[in-house]
Amino acid sequence: SLSLLAESDDNNFILQGTQVKDVIIKPDAPNTLLLDKHADYIAAYGSKKDDYEYTLSEYLRMSGIYWGLTVMDLMGQLSRMNREEIIEFIKSCQHDCGGISASIGHDPHLLYTLSAVQILSLYDSINVIDVEKVVDYVKGLQQEDGSFAGDKWGEIDTRFSFCAVATLALLGKLDEINMDKAVEFVLSCMNFDGGFGCRPDSESHAGQIYCCTGFLSITGQLHKVNADLLGWWLCERQLPSGGLNGRPEKLPDVCYSWWVLASLKIIGRIHWIDKAKLRSFILACQDEETGGFADRPGDMVDPFHTLFGVAGLSLLGDEQIKPVNPVFCMPEDVLQRVGLQPDLLS
Amino acid sequence: LQMCFGVSSLSESREQNQYQFYNLMCLFFYFRDRKEWADLEPVPQDDGPNPVVKIAYSEKFTDVFDMFRALLKNDEKSERAFALTAEAIELNAANYTVWHYRRVLLQALDKDLREEMKYITAIIEDQPKNYQVWHHRRMVVEWLNDPSEELQFVAEILSQDAKNYHAWQHRQWVMQEYKLWDGELEYVEELLEEDVRNNSAWNQRHFVISHTSGYSAILEREVQYTLKQIKKAPHNESAWNYLNGILQDGGLSSYPGLLEQVTELQDTCSSPYLTAFLVDLYEDALETNSSSYDQQETLNKALELCKLLAEEKDTIRREYWNYVSRSLQNTYGSGDPVSSSSDPPPPSSSQQPDTEPSDP
């Protein structure tokens, strides 16, 4: 199909006479999985003295640690990370209200509360934090309409509905919130195309769809999804390059290999993606020199895209990587230990 | 030398002018060296009880954030703290703790919220893809209870990137909260004139109509509008999704004239989406057991199109098309076992759909 493509302008290619927004994968792009390089990249991340990017990302440090640990565990390399230091760090990030912040000196937020609980689940050390207070914090963020705010400042987003139930599920405390209202709110975000947005009427977006299908899985409400319609919308994300975008007419990005693929897995339609083409796109996003994955071939790598590239490959069945749970984006064996097996549609 | 943030409007207070002056100098005068800050002990970055790694920061970043941490530690609520949040935001506008602190200060110091609107306007124009800046703007609009600038502002941001997800959320919130529906359909049409594939604009179209007239009375207008856009750009997922979405309730196969209009487009405006739409339409005819369609012929047509899509027009989604094919066969077929490599369906007896009631 490369021969059918002619470049018209930046990232707009003509395929069989019609304009398509996509990337071209160069013939010399990486096509084998470089797991050792990725493990080295993550293990060394943050230890370089002049790493400005690491500094800048302090405001999301808890999530950054979750991305790094999860991908290392998926690669069987968790032991290379500093467990004790991380656990101490998390303890220092729990506030009086029970919520957990991205880093020391930052304010608590649902996003980082979830990341912290995920990390502690990986390390089987949930009880180093005050679990009851975490539950109080999460409960306190639920609004009258069932939605969840991210923190005391009140931003509402279905991402936070997912964070709330995922956190509570990992703590075994799902029964502490108003489940019916929470479900009602998420379902009110279902759109005419079968997708979900961040609030009612918001445009369907693969990231939000992952959060909503994950939410509905955890709460046992997947039967409310129109799986054929949503599955069709999701498999429409695949572009000629094999990569996936997040909504119509956008460029592919390796993190959508997770958001889209996990959603399809949850609703039982992962086979609607051309797996071989997606795999070759994901592999092309690796950096052979530095290790790690970038959003698309040739760009700069980062831990976020590295996790989602590896997790996507796991969902596609790569046997060199541990099986990953599509709802929690954590190794399946961790969830088995915790005793969580959220529903998936067949 | 960094490009300093000196765009904010000038305030009368001398204290603020001092910081403004420093900003405009475009040379950074470190806070740690300023006599007005001498009383504060900068608090270095703390990565945990046993920091294993030493991280080097750029000098300015270290300076600003060390001072920020000192202010937080003392819970200081002052003009200098307020000025510092602007410095911190300039260095890292995604740092949500800085935004929190700024809001606390806005209230504690009873700051001029109109000035804050100008400030957040400039910040968003510079960094429009950031959750914190939009949420901050929303809070200021709520505190002022004044949405009068919002639609124009969002339109300006969308003129730079017509699909900015945050911008659209903000726009929807303003419209719903303050009931500002007038003129929005026209605005959406303008955007679709500029880029008929703008999925956000199609979504907004659905949003406006759902919340104002509803679809019942104007359905035909919308169908014709959408078909017109499809003629302009046939390979347009959004338009086809919209068409499908607005006709879901009524059913595709029973909508008068729709099949004819879509089939007519096949010669000049064919696309996998058109073919997929026909499959959906035929499926609807089968599901509703419509008397306007010969059931067997409709099934055959649908299967033929699925095969065309799987093998030629949309091969990347062949698994989906084979699934649809199997489902149709299993549900509406004559009961013979099905495999995906089945014989080709019998040729259609006519090119036109049979709209006459079938003979008994």
Side-chain angles (χ1 to χ4, degrees):
Chain A
S1 64
L2 277 180
S3 60
L4 297 169
L5 285 164
E7 192 164 340
S8 61
D9 59 49
D10 190 44
N11 288 318
N12 274 299
F13 302 101
I14 311 287
L15 172 66
Q16 295 179 336
T18 61
Q19 198 177 39
V20 174
K21 205 167 176 125
D22 196 0
V23 300
I24 293 247
I25 298 175
K26 296 187 181 142
D28 61 349
N31 58 11
T32 55
L33 181 54
L34 309 163
L35 278 183
D36 289 338
K37 293 225 73 123
H38 304 317
D40 290 343
Y41 166 69
I42 297 291
Y45 189 78
S47 62
K48 295 200 192 81
K49 288 186 176 181
D50 55 358
D51 205 337
Y52 189 56
E53 177 199 312
Y54 184 81
T55 309
L56 265 186
S57 58
E58 183 195 292
Y59 73 93
L60 53 67
R61 180 65 62 239
M62 195 63 73
S63 294
I65 293 173
Y66 154 72
W67 301 327
L69 292 184
T70 303
V71 73
M72 290 298 265
D73 196 358
L74 288 174
M75 296 189 289
Q77 303 281 317
L78 186 61
S79 58
R80 288 168 73 174
M81 308 302 276
N82 193 326
R83 181 173 188 272
E84 281 64 41
E85 182 185 285
I86 290 167
I87 289 178
E88 283 307 306
F89 173 72
I90 293 176
K91 282 158 76 171
S92 315
C93 289
Q94 185 169 30
H95 291 242
D96 291 339
C97 63
I100 299 174
S101 52
S103 186
I104 295 165
H106 286 254
D107 291 329
H109 196 287
L110 252 189
L111 291 170
Y112 309 112
T113 303
L114 172 60
S115 292
V117 168
Q118 286 172 303
I119 295 165
L120 293 176
S121 300
L122 281 184
Y123 279 143
D124 197 8
S125 301
I126 279 293
N127 291 309
V128 304
I129 51 169
D130 185 334
V131 169
E132 287 308 316
K133 293 239 76 175
V134 172
V135 175
D136 287 343
Y137 177 71
V138 173
K139 274 167 71 167
L141 290 170
Q142 187 167 28
Q143 310 297 302
E144 271 183 43
D145 64 359
S147 67
F148 282 84
D151 64 16
K152 67 184 183 191
W153 293 98
E155 186 191 354
I156 304 295
D157 191 322
T158 47
R159 291 182 297 146
F160 306 142
S161 300
F162 174 77
C163 289
V165 299
T167 300
L168 294 179
L170 287 169
L171 299 176
K173 304 277 188 188
L174 259 183
D175 50 344
E176 300 264 357
I177 51 163
N178 185 334
M179 193 60 77
D180 290 342
K181 287 300 273 183
V183 170
E184 191 185 305
F185 176 76
V186 169
L187 292 177
S188 75
C189 299
M190 193 187 298
N191 293 320
F192 62 87
D193 51 17
F196 294 83
C198 68
R199 289 188 283 276
D201 296 313
S202 297
E203 187 187 358
S204 297
H205 183 290
Q208 310 292 153
I209 289 169
Y210 163 77
C211 292
C212 292
T213 52
F215 172 96
L216 293 169
S217 163
I218 291 169
T219 57
Q221 302 291 315
L222 277 174
H223 53 280
K224 301 264 172 70
V225 169
N226 185 336
D228 280 350
L229 181 60
L230 178 56
W232 159 239
W233 191 95
L234 286 168
C235 77
E236 273 290 305
R237 295 309 106 234
Q238 190 162 33
L239 295 163
S241 65
L244 306 177
N245 62 20
R247 39 181 177 143
E249 292 297 312
K250 298 287 257 167
L251 287 173
D253 182 324
V254 103
C255 67
Y256 291 115
S257 308
W258 177 258
W259 310 125
V260 173
L261 216 57
S263 302
L264 280 168
K265 180 77 182 176
I266 291 169
I267 63 171
R269 275 119 175 101
I270 195 172
H271 51 289
W272 289 356
I273 287 290
D274 184 321
K275 293 185 176 179
K277 294 197 86 170
L278 177 58
R279 181 181 166 86
S280 67
F281 175 85
I282 298 175
L283 293 177
C285 294
Q286 297 173 107
D287 187 317
E288 284 170 320
E289 283 174 34
T290 61
F293 289 72
D295 59 352
R296 51 189 75 98
D299 282 355
M300 290 254 324
V301 303
D302 61 56
F304 175 86
H305 290 95
T306 303
L307 167 62
F308 295 123
V310 170
L313 290 171
S314 173
L315 278 183
L316 289 176
D318 191 305
E319 287 177 355
Q320 294 173 83
I321 307 167
K322 279 197 202 174
V324 67
N325 181 276
V327 172
F328 289 91
C329 193
M330 293 164 65
E332 281 286 10
D333 58 18
V334 173
L335 291 164
Q336 267 160 38
R337 182 190 4 98
V338 176
L340 272 179
Q341 283 299 292
D343 295 336
L344 306 179
L345 292 179
S346 56
Chain B
L1 291 171
Q2 286 193 26
M3 189 57 201
C4 294
F5 177 66
V7 179
S8 72
S9 59
L10 297 169
S11 143
E12 295 311 305
S13 102
R14 183 175 169 271
E15 250 184 311
Q16 288 194 10
N17 280 340
Q18 269 186 321
Y19 300 115
Q20 209 57 47
F21 169 69
Y22 294 140
N23 284 340
L24 289 169
M25 273 172 71
C26 279
L27 274 177
F28 196 67
F29 186 10
Y30 294 122
F31 283 95
R32 63 177 183 247
D33 299 328
R34 303 186 197 187
K35 63 173 175 16
E36 307 86 1
W37 290 79
D39 62 301
L40 271 181
E41 184 66 45
V43 176
Q45 167 79 353
D46 179 4
D47 281 306
N50 300 300
V52 172
V53 299
K54 247 171 123 186
I55 302 162
Y57 299 76
S58 86
E59 286 287 307
K60 179 172 175 179
F61 197 97
T62 312
D63 181 57
V64 168
F65 278 93
D66 284 354
M67 281 302 176
F68 179 68
R69 280 182 277 272
L71 292 167
L72 274 187
K73 198 168 158 185
N74 297 345
D75 197 24
E76 179 174 315
K77 299 196 172 67
S78 65
E79 281 300 333
R80 69 178 182 178
F82 187 72
L84 189 79
T85 60
E87 292 285 349
I89 285 164
E90 191 194 348
L91 290 167
N92 191 356
N95 189 321
Y96 65 100
T97 298
V98 178
W99 284 108
H100 289 190
Y101 192 53
R102 189 175 175 91
R103 282 193 286 275
V104 165
L105 292 170
L106 279 169
Q107 295 189 304
L109 302 175
D110 197 24
K111 299 294 289 180
D112 182 342
L113 293 177
R114 301 263 165 219
E115 290 302 310
E116 189 66 5
M117 277 299 282
K118 291 181 191 162
Y119 173 76
I120 193 62
T121 295
I123 297 283
I124 293 176
E125 274 165 2
D126 192 44
Q127 299 187 59
K129 294 200 179 175
N130 165 326
Y131 288 101
Q132 283 74 33
V133 301
W134 286 100
H135 187 66
H136 188 76
R137 188 185 180 94
R138 173 170 162 162
M139 300 243 43
V140 177
V141 169
E142 280 180 342
W143 287 342
L144 282 171
N145 199 30
D146 178 7
S148 59
E149 294 174 22
E150 297 315 286
L151 296 183
Q152 192 185 339
F153 173 70
V154 176
E156 204 181 291
I157 297 295
L158 290 174
S159 71
Q160 293 159 40
D161 173 3
K163 300 179 192 178
N164 183 324
Y165 199 73
H166 307 285
W168 281 111
Q169 297 340 303
H170 187 78
R171 195 175 182 87
Q172 285 192 346
W173 167 71
V174 168
M175 287 173 58
Q176 267 196 292
E177 185 74 10
Y178 298 99
K179 320 247 182 294
L180 299 172
W181 303 102
D182 286 349
E184 188 68 0
L185 198 56
E186 288 77 2
Y187 176 65
V188 166
E189 285 196 21
E190 265 172 50
L191 290 180
L192 289 174
E193 280 297 305
E194 286 167 29
D195 178 7
V196 72
R197 294 193 182 86
N198 184 338
N199 194 64
S200 310
W202 283 101
N203 184 72
Q204 188 74 348
R205 192 175 183 93
H206 189 269
F207 170 69
V208 174
I209 293 176
S210 309
H211 287 270
T212 52
S213 62
Y215 276 90
S216 319
I218 48 89
L219 188 55
E220 176 62 8
R221 180 195 81 194
E222 287 303 296
V223 169
Q224 293 315 316
Y225 174 81
T226 311
L227 288 173
K228 187 168 151 203
Q229 306 316 311
I230 285 169
K231 282 181 194 140
K232 280 195 232 169
H235 199 274
N236 182 354
E237 187 190 341
S238 307
W240 286 105
N241 280 354
Y242 183 77
L243 187 61
N244 212 313
I246 63 178
L247 291 170
Q248 275 302 298
D249 289 342
L252 300 181
S253 64
S254 55
Y255 194 85
L258 182 63
L259 179 56
E260 286 81 359
Q261 288 190 73
V262 173
T263 316
E264 246 172 55
L265 289 176
Q266 263 183 316
D267 294 329
T268 48
C269 305
S270 191
S271 71
Y273 302 115
L274 185 152
T275 315
F277 188 85
L278 285 174
V279 172
D280 282 336
L281 194 153
Y282 292 142
E283 188 171 357
D284 183 65
L286 294 167
E287 196 177 310
T288 55
N289 202 14
S290 169
S291 55
S292 311
Y293 295 78
D294 177 293
Q295 295 288 298
Q296 185 60 50
E297 208 176 295
T298 302
L299 174 62
N300 292 342
K301 285 202 174 90
L303 293 175
E304 195 180 301
L305 293 180
C306 285
K307 189 166 159 66
L308 180 67
L309 287 160
E311 294 179 3
E312 214 180 295
K313 297 289 183 188
D314 198 22
T315 57
I316 205 167
R317 275 166 280 278
R318 72 186 90 73
E319 289 298 328
Y320 173 75
W321 294 116
N322 290 339
Y323 166 82
V324 175
S325 197
R326 284 195 305 276
S327 303
L328 289 171
Q329 266 285 20
N330 290 339
T331 314
Y332 305 109
S334 50
D336 293 338
V338 183
S339 73
S340 47
S341 57
S342 49
D343 293 333
S348 309
S349 55
S350 72
Q351 293 305 311
Q352 290 302 315
D354 185 356
T355 54
E356 301 298 323
S358 49
D359 290 330

